[in-house]
């Protein structure tokens, strides 16, 4: 019985030693630091994926790729109605918060400009023509990127709810990708952040993902893997 008790103690100790709570902080910090270096190098994407899978297998990245993917299937029209699924709203969502901000901005600017014209028509008319020239130049040269950047800066400065909503939205992309085994590379929470970090003027908030991590993990679970993508707006 003493030998059996010793064997049981060894098994229990081995289980305890392998739990995530007992993984050394140095090992976790080392792997996360290595991942950070690899993710900052576009040519090291495959190595970053392998490192993440290694972390998942040793429970350093405890939840990476651990979700269960359900098989894909087509849903009937009856199911759509029963669950009140609006496909048009899902496939072509409308940003009512941003639209409301633009409507208020347009009305306020128009009213203020009309008042300014009544005070000094010539000076404000010249300014108006100059602003119109800049607007059309932006549309031609930057595909409206300058205007979009300016609006994004304004709405982020004025509307705290909009900032919070964008943060939660991108966190959803990031967390979902992590759980299904798709390695998140980076995220941007505003057009200004994308411009400052990537030098891209016509880029919205988004999360950049490395889709290659999903292939092996989803095939092992038997679920339908996610479609290949790299940018989720």
């Amino acid at each position: 019985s003493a030998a059996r008790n010793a064997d049981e103690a060894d098994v229990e100790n081995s289980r305890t030693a392998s739990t995530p709570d007992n993984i050394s902080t140095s090992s976790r910090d080392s792997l996360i630091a290595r991942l950070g270096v690899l993710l900052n190098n576009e040519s090291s994407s495959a190595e970053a994926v392998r490192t993440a899978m290694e972390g998942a297998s040793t429970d350093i990245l405890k939840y990476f790729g651990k979700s269960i993917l359900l098989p894909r299937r087509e849903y009937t029209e009856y199911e759509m109605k029963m669950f009140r699924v609006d496909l048009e709203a899902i496939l072509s969502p409308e940003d009512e918060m941003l639209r409301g901000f633009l409507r208020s901005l347009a009305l306020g600017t128009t009213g203020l400009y009309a008042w300014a014209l009544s005070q000094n028509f010539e000076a404000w008319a010249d300014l108006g023509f100059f602003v119109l020239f800049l607007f059309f130049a932006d549309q031609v040269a930057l595909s409206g990127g300058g205007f979009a950047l300016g609006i994004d800066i304004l709405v982020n400065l004025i509307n705290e709810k909009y900032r919070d909503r964008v943060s939660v939205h991108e966190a959803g992309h990031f967390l979902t990708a992590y759980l299904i085994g798709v390695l998140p590379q980076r995220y941007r929470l505003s057009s200004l952040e994308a411009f400052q970090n990537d030098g891209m003027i016509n880029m919205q908030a988004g999360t950049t993902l490395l889709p290659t991590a999903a292939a092996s993990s989803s095939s092992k679970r038997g679920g339908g893997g996610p479609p290949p993508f790299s940018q989720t707006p």
Side-chain angles (χ1 to χ4, degrees):
S1 60
R4 183 167 55 186
N5 290 337
D7 290 339
E8 291 176 353
D10 288 341
V11 171
E12 184 62 28
N13 289 335
S14 64
R15 288 176 179 174
T16 303
S18 63
T19 59
D21 293 337
N22 289 281
I23 295 174
S24 67
T25 303
S26 60
S27 298
R28 182 182 289 106
D29 291 345
S30 175
L31 185 134
I32 292 175
R34 183 156 53 119
L35 263 180
V37 172
L38 294 172
L39 290 174
N40 285 325
N41 188 348
E42 296 291 341
S43 61
S44 302
S45 298
E47 180 62 25
V49 171
R50 285 193 292 270
T51 301
M53 298 302 291
E54 174 188 330
S57 65
T58 57
D59 277 340
I60 294 178
L61 302 180
K62 184 177 179 181
Y63 298 106
F64 180 70
K66 297 299 175 63
S67 66
I68 299 176
L69 301 181
L70 298 177
R72 294 178 180 176
R73 72 177 181 87
E74 294 184 1
Y75 291 88
T76 64
E77 185 176 353
Y78 171 76
E79 289 175 314
M80 295 291 186
K81 291 180 179 179
M82 183 174 66
F83 293 110
R84 299 179 181 179
V85 176
D86 187 352
L87 285 180
E88 184 176 353
I90 294 175
L91 298 176
S92 301
E94 296 182 358
D95 194 338
E96 292 296 336
M97 187 178 293
L98 184 57
R99 176 178 293 184
F101 173 81
L102 290 174
R103 187 184 301 114
S104 300
L105 180 64
L107 290 174
T109 304
T110 302
L112 185 62
Y113 185 65
W115 175 83
L117 284 175
S118 67
Q119 302 298 311
N120 189 337
F121 182 82
E122 292 185 0
W124 286 99
D126 291 341
L127 179 61
F129 284 120
F130 179 68
V131 172
L132 282 176
F133 168 76
L134 291 180
F135 176 79
F136 285 112
D138 172 60
Q139 294 295 320
V140 173
L142 302 174
S143 300
F147 176 76
L149 177 61
I151 292 298
D152 187 75
I153 292 173
L154 273 178
V155 71
N156 274 284
L157 287 174
I158 296 173
N159 196 327
E160 184 179 354
K161 290 184 178 180
Y162 181 82
R163 293 198 306 270
D164 292 342
R165 196 194 68 172
V166 171
S167 299
V168 171
H169 180 87
E170 295 309 323
H173 285 306
F174 199 97
L175 179 60
T176 301
Y178 183 85
L179 292 176
I180 66 175
V182 178
L183 188 63
Q185 186 177 30
R186 69 174 66 90
Y187 64 89
R188 301 287 182 254
L189 298 180
S190 68
S191 297
L192 178 61
E193 189 176 346
F195 175 69
Q196 290 174 332
N197 289 279
D198 304 320
M200 304 181 72
I201 197 171
N202 203 5
M203 178 66 68
Q204 297 179 338
T207 302
T208 305
L209 310 173
L210 300 178
T212 50
S216 59
S217 59
S218 63
S219 62
K220 291 178 182 177
R221 292 190 296 271
F229 54 85
S230 60
Q231 178 78 19
T232 56

